[in-house]
Amino acid sequence: QVQLVESGGGLVQTGGSLRLSCAASGRTFSIYGMGWFRQAPGKNRDFVASISWSGGRTYYADSVKGRFAISRDNAKNTMYLQMNSLKPEDTAVYYCAASKYASGTYQNDILYDYWGQGTQVTVSS
């Protein structure tokens, strides 16, 4: 089993920055792809960004390209999401996820086997 815990959320003004972290524990050797999703109240859970095992492949939703950067440190069993130039529409609960699949773009939530509890990000104007 794998457990994921998000941290780093909070309240920021428009244009500000936050760095989210996702700490994995348990059978972390079984993790390949990882990703971030977000969900606003009353809305679907949307793909934000994903990253392959080595970090050599990254994928971003169009809405965050150029503003967000995903990374991972496998030695620390931690994934990060650096969020810059934040906008009010970025307000959501952000979830980290991990997949046991060794290939793919990791943009669909059906590819993920483990999920964190989420961390709230609120961007005010």
Side-chain angles (χ1 to χ4, degrees):
Q1 296 293 327
V2 172
Q3 293 79 45
L4 304 174
V5 179
E6 303 95 336
S7 62
L11 174 64
V12 297
Q13 293 182 327
T14 297
S17 298
L18 284 173
R19 189 182 73 161
L20 305 183
S21 298
C22 175
S25 61
R27 299 181 64 186
T28 57
F29 58 86
S30 68
I31 294 174
Y32 287 92
M34 298 188 75
W36 291 94
F37 292 76
R38 66 187 183 186
Q39 186 171 28
K43 297 185 180 295
N44 294 326
R45 183 171 60 192
D46 294 326
F47 168 77
V48 177
S50 61
I51 187 168
S52 62
W53 167 256
S54 67
R57 293 183 291 113
T58 59
Y59 304 90
Y60 296 92
D62 289 341
S63 59
V64 306
K65 286 181 179 178
R67 300 189 297 119
F68 290 10
I70 189 171
S71 61
R72 65 191 294 174
D73 185 341
N74 292 339
K76 296 181 178 180
N77 294 319
T78 303
M79 176 180 64
Y80 305 95
L81 184 68
Q82 179 66 47
M83 305 186 295
N84 299 321
S85 301
L86 283 163
K87 305 174 181 179
E89 52 261 45
D90 295 318
T91 296
V93 176
Y94 284 70
Y95 299 90
C96 68
S99 174
K100 65 182 180 181
Y101 296 110
S103 63
T105 63
Y106 306 102
Q107 298 179 76
N108 194 313
D109 58 7
I110 67 172
L111 299 172
Y112 290 90
D113 303 282
Y114 310 103
W115 293 84
Q117 294 296 310
T119 186
Q120 177 70 48
V121 172
T122 302
V123 184
S124 66
S125 59

